[in-house]
């Protein structure tokens, strides 16, 4: 395992060991459902639809799935509706067209308007999801729509590109090793992969090799399909590339960060010098003071039991304060 794949394991706080199963399940349920106002049904994932408060919309981390938000929602008030925004299936998109955070945010805005046409909007997300939520807030404010809060869960304003220091290797090999590392992190393990061994293989052989190594190491279920793994890889790579290229614009609304108390070496390498800034670099893009509260655990652990209880409590405090303002 290279230093690069180890440090990038912190990009997603989800239990990505379940990603292939979630993709397979969601695709089976949603692929043939009709669109709602031109928005694919699979984008918007209801977690809790009942409640009297304005709904909270949580954008996905880099893996594209939203499993972890189900645990988080348990520790929010019963009257708080919660919806997740996911992009588990990128097969319907042009593979040659780079995905941008700006385009993703615009698509998700159309999705949340089917639930909440006029706002006020409560936006959030973990890791990359916080970045997507921020851009959604920027675009909604430009449309003169009310945004009460953008809540980020351990989200740096910028991340170091994943090919930094790895220019001699195949990009696909680096991306496969990175995804394998993230999946292994869901088990708090490391996946032993050699970039040099992957480099000598053809692209299809690289994907096949990593998929079977993950199965052999029991990091992916034995009944997972290679097609589901390929979908996970496509979503992950497009999301990661979009995240690395995104430059935040200025935002004049309320921004809050729930940040992990333990900044792991992974996140220090991923976020660089921004790790030393309590706001993770976001204050430079915000006209109002960014609120920050710390919770136990690291980038991954803060979203897992037992720490997710406190993460949910701090998020709820921010939601309560936004409603009172």
């Amino acid at each position: 395992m290279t230093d690069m794949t180890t440090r990038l394991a912190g990009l997603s706080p989800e239990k990505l060991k379940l990603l292939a199963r979630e993709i397979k399940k969601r695709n089976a349920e949603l692929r043939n459902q009709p669109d709602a106002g031109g928005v694919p049904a699979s984008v918007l994932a209801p977690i809790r639809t009942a409640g009297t408060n304005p709904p909270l919309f949580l954008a996905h981390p880099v893996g594209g799935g939203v499993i972890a938000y189900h645990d988080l929602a348990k520790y929010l008030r019963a009257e708080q509706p919660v919806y997740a925004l996911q992009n588990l299936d990128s097969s319907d998109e042009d593979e040659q067209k780079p995905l941008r955070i700006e385009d993703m945010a615009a698509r998700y805005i159309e999705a949340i308007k089917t639930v909440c046409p006029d706002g006020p909007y409560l936006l959030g997300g973990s890791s990359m999801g916080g970045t997507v939520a921020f851009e959604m807030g920027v675009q909604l404010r430009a449309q003169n729509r009310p945004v009460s809060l953008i809540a980020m869960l351990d989200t740096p304003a910028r991340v170091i590109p994943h090919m930094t220091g790895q220019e001699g290797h195949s990009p696909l090999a680096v991306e496969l090793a990175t995804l394998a590392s993230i999946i292994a992190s869901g088990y708090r393990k490391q996946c032993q992969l050699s970039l040099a061994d992957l480099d000598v293989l053809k692209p299809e052989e690289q994907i096949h090799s990593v998929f079977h190594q993950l199965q052999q190491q029991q990091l992916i279920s034995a009944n997972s399909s290679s097609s589901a793994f390929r979908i996970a890889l496509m979503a992950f790579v497009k999301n990661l590339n979009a995240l690395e290229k995104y430059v935040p614009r200025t935002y004049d609304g309320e921004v809050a960060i729930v940040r992990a108390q333990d900044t792991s070496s992974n996140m220090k390498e991923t976020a660089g010098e921004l790790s030393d800034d309590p706001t993770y670099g976001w204050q430079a893009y915000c006209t109002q003071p960014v609120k920050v509260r710390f919770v136990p655990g690291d980038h991954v652990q803060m979203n897992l039991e037992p720490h997710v209880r406190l993460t949910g409590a701090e998020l709820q405090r921010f939601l309560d304060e936004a409603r009172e303002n």
Side-chain angles (χ1 to χ4, degrees):
M1 180 61 61
T2 66
D3 290 341
M4 182 279 304
T5 53
T6 299
R7 70 179 172 83
L8 281 174
L11 273 176
S12 175
E14 292 196 54
K15 302 173 183 177
L16 285 179
K17 61 186 180 182
L18 300 175
L19 181 58
R21 187 181 352 176
E22 181 179 7
I23 290 167
K24 184 177 181 180
K25 179 176 181 293
R26 294 297 295 174
N27 283 353
E29 294 175 349
L30 299 171
R31 183 181 299 278
N32 295 321
Q33 289 187 8
D35 290 0
V39 179
S42 59
V43 167
L44 196 61
I47 296 177
R48 182 192 297 145
T49 58
T52 56
N53 293 340
L56 170 65
F57 298 98
L58 297 170
H60 59 82
V62 71
V66 294
I67 290 175
Y69 293 149
H70 289 263
D71 290 336
L72 181 67
K74 291 189 301 185
Y75 299 109
L76 301 179
R77 298 193 196 284
E79 60 268 26
Q80 179 60 64
V82 181
Y83 292 80
L85 294 158
Q86 61 186 358
N87 71 342
L88 296 178
D89 186 0
S90 60
S91 62
D92 60 339
E93 298 174 7
D94 183 356
E95 294 185 19
Q96 303 303 316
K97 180 181 179 181
L99 183 67
R100 301 189 315 146
I101 295 292
E102 293 88 345
D103 299 332
M104 192 182 302
R107 184 187 188 204
Y108 296 166
I109 285 172
E110 293 308 306
I112 68 176
K113 285 179 182 178
T114 65
V115 174
C116 184
D118 303 314
Y121 294 101
L122 299 170
L123 309 172
S126 181
S127 198
M128 173 185 168
T131 302
V132 176
F134 183 86
E135 176 60 27
M136 290 174 67
V138 170
Q139 293 186 22
L140 283 166
R141 298 283 276 207
Q143 298 172 14
N144 293 317
R145 295 180 181 272
V147 180
S148 298
L149 177 68
I150 297 173
M152 305 179 182
L153 306 183
D154 216 48
T155 301
R158 303 298 302 276
V159 297
I160 297 172
H162 67 278
M163 286 303 295
T164 300
Q166 303 295 326
E167 289 80 2
H169 294 290
S170 155
L172 178 59
V174 173
E175 289 153 357
L176 281 164
T178 304
L179 178 59
S181 176
I182 293 176
I183 292 172
S185 75
Y187 287 93
R188 300 182 183 177
K189 295 181 179 180
Q190 289 189 355
C191 181
Q192 301 300 323
L193 288 175
S194 166
L195 285 176
D197 290 344
L198 290 175
D199 282 336
V200 300
L201 301 177
K202 296 179 180 178
E204 287 298 320
E205 294 172 337
Q206 290 183 14
I207 296 172
H208 182 80
S209 174
V210 172
F211 174 69
H212 283 285
Q213 287 186 62
L214 288 169
Q215 284 190 320
Q216 290 170 3
Q217 296 178 41
Q218 297 183 332
L219 297 174
I220 282 184
S221 173
N223 61 5
S224 296
S225 68
S226 59
S227 61
F229 178 71
R230 184 184 299 275
I231 290 170
L233 175 64
M234 289 171 62
F236 167 73
V237 169
K238 297 191 86 168
N239 288 341
L240 181 58
N241 288 335
L243 177 63
E244 291 173 353
K245 294 174 183 176
Y246 178 67
V247 178
R249 293 178 286 172
T250 301
Y251 181 71
D252 63 356
E254 184 170 345
V255 174
I257 300 176
V258 181
R259 184 163 170 182
Q261 225 166 46
D262 303 325
T263 305
S264 65
S265 58
N266 296 341
M267 283 305 293
K268 288 179 181 178
E269 291 294 332
T270 299
E273 62 184 13
L274 297 183
S275 297
D276 299 326
D277 175 5
T279 74
Y280 253 147
W282 285 108
Q283 190 59 73
Y285 304 101
C286 299
T287 60
Q288 296 188 28
V290 175
K291 299 179 181 179
V292 182
R293 293 185 183 131
F294 289 83
V295 294
D298 63 16
H299 187 77
V300 174
Q301 296 165 357
M302 67 179 285
N303 292 281
L304 306 177
E305 297 288 3
H307 300 309
V308 67
R309 178 187 298 270
L310 295 176
T311 300
E314 293 298 347
L315 175 57
Q316 185 63 65
R317 284 180 62 194
F318 282 132
L319 292 170
D320 290 344
E321 292 168 4
R323 191 171 63 251
E324 292 169 0
N325 291 341

